[in-house]
Amino acid sequence: MNRRKFINRSAVAGAGIATGASILGCDDNDKNSKDNNSAFAKAQQKPAPIAICTWGFSGATQKAGELLTKGSSALDAVVAGVAVEEENIENTTVGIGATPDREGNVTLDACVMNPEGDCGAVLAVENIVNVAALARKVMEDTPHVILAGKGAEEFAYQQGFKKENLLTEERKNAWQEWLKTSDYKPKINIENHDTIGMLAIDKDGDIAGVCTTSGLGYKMKGRVGDSPIIGSGLFIDNEVGGAVATGMGEEVLKTVGSFLIVELMRGGMSPQKACEEAITRITKKGPRYKDFQIAYIAINKSGEVGSHCIHKGFTMMKYQNGENKNITSSYYNSDKS
Ligand code: SD4
């Protein structure tokens, strides 16, 4: 980076940090300025390329991490990384093999965001496996940010995506079994959270992210959660960092969780503390949090990562320097473990 660019970046980061502190109403100015100074210092260090993702999807971070090591951009790496799970028939909440809505349709949601702050999203798409790649096409090849339903599907065919039946025999049988009771509670078992969200920093220090899912199993037809909604399911600011969510989308939407985390990091908070604060915004609303799980992962510009969730059981993957690690997340509530 040339000096002028660096100074400009530092000035913007500094302005953001100062603004963030005042927005947050922090009154410990001395401590803040120390935190801000260290945030400045860290912002100058470029980390080794790194990819993190929600849950234990080691194949996805392995793929993304290897690409980053070879010099791929963060955006290429995250889209290729999550494709591993979109194409994994065993994963029942992403891509092919996912759980359908209550009428038996598998509908997928995804979004991407690049280091320039551009984004693309597709909502409630049927018959297309790689919806993260499709969201990228929306970002790069249309004047729009979001395409939904049939429009997104038709756009996919124009772009050369193949039509595929996403409902496997196993999922069809499970759905038919479910129909016998049609027992839908707005409640997620911890084991059901398989949305994959991925964040990466490439060799140039640039950050990109993606989120892809089939949403909640047996959801109402047309229901869309947080995952494809920029700011809720995913947010990236290349000056600051990125965050991505998994879990009960309705509650993430109500608190615009990923944007919140990035703004907290802009104010000087660590990724870990910012994830904790975003979970607190949900849990402090009342005891309903006992019935659902939400987890966030985050990364800042210097490659520090954090994760926090409501209930015990969430893990994230981190690939850096050839090491692919599963990290157990801290959590808010120990009663429901
Ligand atoms: C949604 N957040 O549609 C997604 C669901 C999820 O693991 O994360 N499932 O609300």
Side-chain angles (χ1 to χ4, degrees):
M1 191 188 301
N2 67 36
R3 190 165 171 273
R4 177 182 290 270
K5 203 165 164 195
F6 174 71
I7 290 169
N8 283 344
R9 281 196 177 196
S10 299
V12 173
I17 287 166
T19 313
S22 65
I23 286 170
L24 294 168
C26 297
D27 50 17
D28 188 350
N29 287 332
D30 187 45
K31 182 178 171 302
N32 257 344
S33 81
K34 273 187 207 138
D35 284 354
N36 292 347
N37 286 341
S38 74
F40 267 116
K42 280 175 190 158
Q44 296 171 27
Q45 296 161 12
K46 209 187 298 166
I50 173 170
I52 61 172
C53 79
T54 54
W55 304 104
F57 298 126
S58 54
T61 41
Q62 183 78 31
K63 175 83 187 176
E66 284 172 4
L67 285 170
L68 290 167
T69 308
K70 285 186 203 145
S72 291
S73 71
L75 183 63
D76 283 345
V78 292
V79 171
V82 300
V84 171
E85 284 307 317
E86 290 174 331
E87 291 161 17
N88 176 6
I89 218 149
E90 305 292 323
N91 184 331
T92 59
T93 66
V94 179
I96 193 162
T99 302
D101 66 14
R102 57 187 63 177
E103 294 181 30
N105 309 303
V106 177
T107 65
L108 304 181
D109 302 325
C111 70
V112 297
M113 206 161 170
N114 72 12
E116 286 74 43
D118 298 319
C119 42
V122 291
L123 280 56
V125 187
E126 294 180 50
N127 304 313
I128 303 294
V129 175
N130 294 118
V131 280
L134 183 59
R136 179 180 184 170
K137 286 278 182 197
V138 172
M139 173 174 79
E140 292 178 345
D141 295 338
T142 79
H144 306 305
V145 169
I146 300 175
L147 289 182
K150 282 285 165 224
E153 191 180 339
E154 282 163 24
F155 173 66
Y157 301 138
Q158 285 160 17
Q159 294 292 318
F161 286 74
K162 260 193 12 223
K163 180 169 185 163
E164 299 211 35
N165 176 18
L166 304 180
L167 185 64
T168 58
E169 272 312 300
E170 288 77 8
R171 287 307 104 211
K172 192 172 170 187
N173 293 340
W175 165 61
Q176 279 165 347
E177 206 40 48
W178 177 82
L179 281 177
K180 291 180 184 160
T181 57
S182 297
D183 184 21
Y184 182 82
K185 296 199 187 85
K187 171 173 174 176
I188 309 177
N189 296 322
I190 290 163
E191 302 74 29
N192 280 350
H193 288 248
D194 292 341
T195 289
I196 179 163
M198 185 180 279
L199 307 168
I201 303 182
D202 60 29
K203 65 173 187 342
D204 298 323
D206 288 325
I207 310 172
V210 62
C211 191
T212 178
T213 189
S214 60
L216 303 182
Y218 313 128
K219 61 193 176 186
M220 287 176 69
K221 184 175 183 179
R223 181 265 184 195
V224 173
D226 62 310
S227 302
I229 305 300
I230 295 294
S232 288
L234 170 75
F235 196 71
I236 303 289
D237 183 324
N238 198 36
E239 299 286 350
V240 178
V244 71
T246 178
M248 178 62 88
E250 280 72 5
E251 301 301 322
V252 176
L253 284 164
K254 289 176 201 170
T255 48
V256 198
S258 293
F259 182 71
L260 171 63
I261 290 169
V262 172
E263 289 308 299
L264 291 168
M265 292 194 294
R266 190 194 307 281
M269 248 186 217
S270 68
Q272 179 61 33
K273 286 274 173 247
C275 289
E276 289 172 16
E277 174 60 24
I279 290 291
T280 302
R281 298 280 173 106
I282 295 163
T283 53
K284 76 177 185 194
K285 286 178 163 182
R288 282 195 313 119
Y289 73 83
K290 294 189 176 184
D291 291 331
F292 55 80
Q293 170 73 309
I294 290 175
Y296 290 109
I297 65 171
I299 193 163
N300 67 12
K301 191 72 179 163
S302 53
E304 290 171 331
V305 303
S307 70
H308 196 63
C309 59
I310 301 179
H311 306 291
K312 187 176 179 180
F314 175 68
T315 66
M316 64 181 264
M317 291 301 306
K318 172 180 163 185
Y319 184 105
Q320 191 172 36
N321 295 322
E323 191 188 10
N324 202 18
K325 267 202 311 208
N326 188 239
I327 300 170
T328 301
S329 174
S330 58
Y331 58 95
Y332 172 73
N333 178 36
S334 53
D335 302 335
K336 285 279 285 195
S337 52

